[in-house]
């Protein structure tokens, strides 16, 4: 669901920027075919750009830099448990991405409305096609004509022209026929089908409705241009003005006019001087627009191809592991009977583990520099191949405890959670093979450091802090590093 909302954000941002560019630059130009392609291309690129593999942000962000994200810092509460559970780090307010949170409700509600609109549109379109198929049809100059039905008259619907047969004997009727036949020649119904489906998917964005109206208006400009060249601007404009009192058909069809205001716009466009061909260079402005959008996307959503944990059959590259020493600064975590604080133990463990992993060829990043306090979302906001958050259990006895592996799964159900699951169980098996005691991996949805991670992430509880004298044994860290190394599949 997180990925879905990122995608919706990117699509809607593309539409807003493209619509502003069209309004300021292209709307005044008389290159109607080019404007038609721009509107359709804008909608299509808005759908496809978020899937682009080119991420310009990688040119500005180093692989070790935190990914820029639009997140607000929330108040964090730290509580110490005394029943064998990890010293939990949870936000005081429920996560936006909790399965029952407001965020999920909004996302599912949006999808439900989109689904209903799509079904409604498809049902109307199918019913309209069946109704047309039941009507008597006749051919005239290679076009199919049916008699008016319902509220459809003097318009083109799907692939047919709706008008009375005897109108073809009148001058006005011939103009109506030529007008609607041009819509069919230009294949405008395909544009309308595409833009209506697009509207159902992105119904919340008001710019979608504005762009749809502009597309319909461009269709009329195209047809008006053809007929004005054939019959003269003045004569065709007078013909349009005589029809202003006719009721306007509704539905998915091409219509001779929509409102008086739009009719005035069409007449003004028809009587205006055509744009100079030299102004076509302005369409080149779409190139920096695409660059701007790609740059914007690269900063708000890191590319998935940077996760190299489960890339099979590829040459081994240097992988980046982010080690997160739990707690720090004013947050000391659990405290042992000996006075040893968890924040110090996690830091020392991560320093030793960093040395072991670097000796194996890994690039290792620490989420905090020394004894400092950082918000949980900041500690997980890194790029790399794997994030390991290191913690220790706290129980009243000095009993040694097996390693516990926590991972997030079943919340967003995306590819990131699949990697979390696979690596957690791979690490579990390799820890056993290296002679370490470990419990079966467990799912956790409450830890912010896991929820906020943009890369595969695990939280490890290494032992009971009361069972450790001063620091962890180097032999233990070496076995842990071996298990991590063996868990990467090449």
């Amino acid at each position: 669901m997180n990925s879905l909302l990122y995608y919706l954000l990117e699509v809607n941002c593309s539409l807003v920027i493209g619509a502003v560019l069209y309004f300021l630059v292209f709307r005044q130009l008389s290159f109607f075919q080019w404007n038609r392609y721009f509107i359709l291309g804008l909608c299509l690129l808005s759908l496809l750009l978020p899937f682009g593999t080119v991420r310009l942000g990688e040119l500005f962000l180093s692989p070790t830099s935190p990914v820029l994200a639009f997140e607000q810092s929330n108040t964090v509460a730290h509580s110490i448990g005394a029943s064998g559970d990890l010293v939990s780090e949870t936000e005081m307010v429920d996560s936006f991405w909790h399965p029952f949170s407001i965020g999920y409700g909004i996302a599912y509600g949006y999808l439900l409305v989109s689904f209903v609109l799509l079904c409604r549109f498809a049902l109307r379109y199918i019913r309209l096609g069946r109704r047309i198929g039941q009507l008597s049809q006749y051919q005239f100059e290679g076009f199919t004509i049916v008699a008016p039905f319902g509220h459809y008259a003097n318009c083109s619907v799907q692939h047919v022209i709706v008008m009375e047969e005897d109108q073809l004997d009148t001058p006005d009727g011939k103009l109506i026929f030529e007008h609607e036949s041009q819509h069919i020649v230009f294949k405008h119904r395909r544009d309308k089908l595409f833009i209506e489906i697009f509207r159902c998917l992105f119904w919340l964005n008001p710019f979608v409705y504005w762009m749809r109206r502009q597309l319909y208006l461009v269709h009329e400009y195209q047809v008006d241009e053809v007929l004005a060249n054939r019959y003269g601007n003045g004569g065709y404009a007078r013909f349009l003005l005589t029809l202003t009192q006719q009721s306007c058909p509704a539905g998915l069809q091409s219509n001779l006019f929509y409102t008086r205001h739009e009719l005035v716009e069409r007449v003004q466009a028809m009587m205006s001087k055509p744009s100079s061909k030299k102004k076509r260079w302005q369409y080149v402005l779409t190139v920096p627009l695409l660059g701007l959008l790609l740059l914007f996307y690269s900063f708000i959503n890191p590319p998935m191809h940077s996760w190299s944990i489960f890339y099979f059959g590829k040459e081994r590259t240097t992988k980046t592991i982010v080690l997160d020493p739990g707690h720090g600064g004013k947050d000391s975590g659990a405290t042992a009977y000996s006075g040893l604080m968890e924040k110090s133990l996690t830091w020392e463990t991560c320093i030793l583990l960093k040395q072991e992993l670097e000796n194996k060829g890994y690039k290792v990043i620490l989420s905090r520099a020394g004894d400092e306090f950082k918000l949980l979302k900041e500690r997980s906001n890194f790029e790399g191949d794997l994030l390991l958050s290191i913690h220790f259990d706290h129980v009243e006895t000095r009993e040694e405890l097996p390693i516990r592996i926590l991972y997030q799964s079943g919340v967003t159900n995306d590819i990131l959670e699949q990697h979390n699951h696979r690596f957690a169980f791979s690490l579990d098996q390799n820890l056993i093979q290296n002679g370490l005691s470990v419990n079966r991996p467990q799912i956790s949805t409450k830890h912010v450091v896991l929820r906020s991670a943009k890369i595969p992430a695990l939280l490890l509880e290494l032992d009971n802090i009361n069972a450790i004298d001063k620091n962890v044994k180097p032999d233990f860290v070496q076995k842990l590093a071996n298990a991590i190394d063996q868990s990467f599949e090449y």
Side-chain angles (χ1 to χ4, degrees), residues 340-406:
L340 178 63
M341 292 184 291
E342 185 181 1
K343 68 174 183 178
S344 301
L345 189 57
T346 57
W347 173 256
E348 294 173 1
T349 303
C350 285
I351 291 296
L352 294 175
L353 185 58
K354 179 176 183 293
Q355 295 173 354
E356 291 289 339
L357 291 173
E358 287 178 339
N359 291 336
K360 297 180 181 295
Y362 292 92
K363 184 173 185 178
V364 182
I365 304 169
L366 295 176
S367 65
R368 59 180 172 96
D371 186 16
E372 64 172 349
F373 172 79
K374 295 186 70 174
L375 292 174
L376 297 174
K377 289 185 177 181
E378 295 176 352
R379 285 164 35 181
S380 61
N381 200 16
F382 287 85
E383 288 186 7
D385 299 295
L386 177 66
L387 184 146
L388 295 175
S389 186
I390 305 301
H391 292 263
F392 287 85
D393 263 331
H394 178 269
V395 294
E396 297 299 329
T397 67
R398 297 183 180 274
E399 175 189 4
E400 293 185 357
L401 298 177
I403 297 174
R404 283 210 297 166
I405 303 174
L406 302 178

Side-chain angles (χ1 to χ4, degrees), residues 462-476:
L462 298 184
D463 200 350
N464 174 19
I465 192 172
N466 280 321
I468 299 174
D469 294 330
K470 295 183 179 179
N471 49 44
V472 293
K473 299 177 181 179
D475 180 61
F476 173 86

Side-chain angles (χ1 to χ4, degrees), residues 96-114:
F96 181 80
W97 302 115
H98 191 275
F100 303 102
S101 67
I102 296 177
Y104 256 72
I106 293 174
Y108 285 127
Y110 182 94
L111 290 177
L112 178 62
V113 174
S114 297

